[in-house]
Structure formats: C-alpha cells, structure tokens
Amino acid sequence: ETGVTQSPTHLIKTRGQQVTLRCSSQSGHNTVSWYQQALGQGPQFIFQYYREEENGRGNFPPRFSGLQFPNYSSELNVNALELDDSALYLCASSLAGPGANVLTFGAGSRLTVL
Amino acid sequence: DQQVKQNSPSLSVQEGRISILNCDYTNSMFDYFLWYKKYPAEGPTFLISISSIKDKNEDGRFTVFLNKSAKHLSLHIVPSQPGDSAVYFCAAYSGAGSYQLTFGKGTKLSVIP
C-alpha cells in the first residue's frame, strides 16, 4: 500500500510568480485535502476535493486553486505569490464515508517565497 | 481566533514516565477529535481519536481523555519512550460529513533517555 507522495519537496520562488504543487493519494483513497503549515503553526485547511470537485474551502483567497484528476491525484496552484505564502504545504488523502475523518498526510512541499 | 489551543509549546519527560499533552477547544460544534504525531521532514501521522460520545479511548500506550464540559482533551503516553519524541497536534472536526480538520499549534515532546 503506497502512502501519499508529494512533489517537489522543496522549492524557491519570487514574489509575484506562480507555483504548482503535486500530490498522489494513498491507494484506494478518493478524497484529497490541502493544508498550509506556516512556521510555528498548526496545519490550516485550504480546500478539499472529492470526485474532481471542490468539496469545501478554508479561509484562503481565490489565487489558491486546485484540481483533482480521475486517478485521484491532485494539484495545488498558487498565483501571484506573496512572502506570507512561504510555508509547508501538506496534502492529505482519505476515503469518503466511514473512517473519512482519518487523514493520511504526505511529507509536504516546502515553499519559500523571496 | 484559535478554536483549538495547545498552550504548551514544549514538554520534556524522562523515559518510562508518563507524558501528558493537553488541548483545549472553544467550538462546541466539534464532535470528533484526533491526535497526530509529526517527526521532522515527515508528514503528520494519525495516532488516536475520540468521538464526543466517549470520554476515553485507549490504544496501547496511548490514551485520550475528553472532558466535554470543560472543552478539554488530553493525550497520555505511558510509558514514554525516546521514539515518542515528536511534535503532537490536536485536531478536531465539527459535525458529520465535515471535511475541515482544525489543528492546534502543536506541542513538542522530548523524551529524555
């Protein structure tokens, strides 16, 4: 059983640029969520995708967008990067239905915005 | 406004002793609580959970206690082992079918051999 894998592990961007982060869900999972973890903070919910549609969104601006593909993999896109976007971005997958509360996280993509 | 609070940023415990990590919440709609453990350079891993209809859940060395009236939960680790050294996050869901997990800031546990 493969876990959640994310790429890239680290990247550096400059303010105003755009970034795409990728995530492969754990085998058998059909729901994917993205979280942002700033330094010294707990993970913060960005959004969740189920059946290729956004299923819920946290308090993040529209320049944060996502996609879920038929194979349940996912992308997080951030446009017009700001310095405060520097954080660890965590992808988590789960299976909709009973047990859906337990998320399986990837190791994250660490984004630095200069 | 932090809805899940872990007021102790760090905790040091001797190996073999009990570790007690605390978590308070403000949102009375939360009805399912989880603890995650995070090692450096790894993602958070699920440890144990508890539904609001229970006041205790046990899994091996780990026990979570829930006091709904006080809006407080705690994670007990007995006996503590050096491999337990990690950051522990308390998290909560509100309502059936809820998709958003709300996390605390975490407590860094150091178990001293």
Side-chain angles (χ1 to χ4, degrees):
Chain A
E1 182 180 271
T2 56
V4 177
T5 57
Q6 294 187 241
S7 63
T9 54
H10 295 83
L11 70 165
I12 299 174
K13 292 285 187 177
T14 56
R15 195 169 49 180
Q17 284 189 311
Q18 178 266 343
V19 68
T20 297
L21 307 177
R22 295 179 174 84
C23 171
S24 293
S25 301
Q26 178 168 309
S27 177
H29 284 182
N30 56 11
T31 301
V32 65
S33 305
W34 286 91
Y35 287 78
Q36 180 197 66
Q37 186 180 10
L39 200 61
Q41 304 294 316
Q44 259 198 300
F45 176 73
I46 303 175
F47 43 54
Q48 184 185 86
Y49 278 82
Y50 173 64
R51 291 184 174 178
E52 302 175 50
E53 291 193 1
E54 189 178 286
N55 189 41
R57 189 179 185 91
N59 189 24
F60 280 83
R63 59 189 185 84
F64 286 77
S65 63
L67 285 172
Q68 185 186 31
F69 300 101
N71 65 355
Y72 305 125
S73 66
S74 176
E75 286 182 356
L76 165 65
N77 298 290
V78 187
N79 293 322
L81 284 168
E82 301 176 0
L83 297 179
D84 284 349
D85 296 333
S86 295
L88 180 68
Y89 288 85
L90 295 164
C91 173
S93 70
S94 59
L95 188 62
N101 289 341
V102 178
L103 303 180
T104 301
F105 284 87
S109 294
R110 184 163 295 283
L111 170 66
T112 301
V113 182
L114 302 176
Chain B
D1 175 30
Q2 252 198 306
Q3 298 186 63
V4 177
K5 300 177 184 179
Q6 293 177 258
N7 292 321
S8 298
S10 62
L11 175 68
S12 289
V13 172
Q14 287 291 131
E15 180 180 3
R17 305 295 290 268
I18 184 171
S19 295
I20 300 176
L21 295 93
N22 294 304
C23 177
D24 298 294
Y25 62 95
T26 57
N27 188 343
S28 57
M29 297 299 291
F30 287 148
D31 64 356
Y32 195 83
F33 304 88
L34 305 89
W35 285 93
Y36 278 83
K37 177 171 72 174
K38 187 178 186 302
Y39 293 118
E42 294 184 13
T45 54
F46 170 73
L47 194 57
I48 193 169
S49 63
I50 188 167
S51 165
S52 60
I53 61 173
K54 295 185 175 182
D55 55 16
K56 177 182 174 181
N57 188 25
E58 199 170 347
D59 184 1
R61 297 185 297 114
F62 302 91
T63 303
V64 56
F65 296 92
L66 175 62
N67 183 334
K68 281 186 65 179
S69 60
K71 293 192 177 68
H72 176 83
L73 63 156
S74 60
L75 174 67
H76 293 210
I77 306 173
V78 184
S80 301
Q81 299 173 354
D84 296 329
S85 297
V87 177
Y88 289 77
F89 291 100
C90 173
Y93 276 111
S94 58
S98 174
Y99 45 77
Q100 177 175 349
L101 199 54
T102 302
F103 284 85
K105 289 187 177 182
T107 296
K108 183 177 182 179
L109 174 66
S110 299
V111 180
I112 305 162

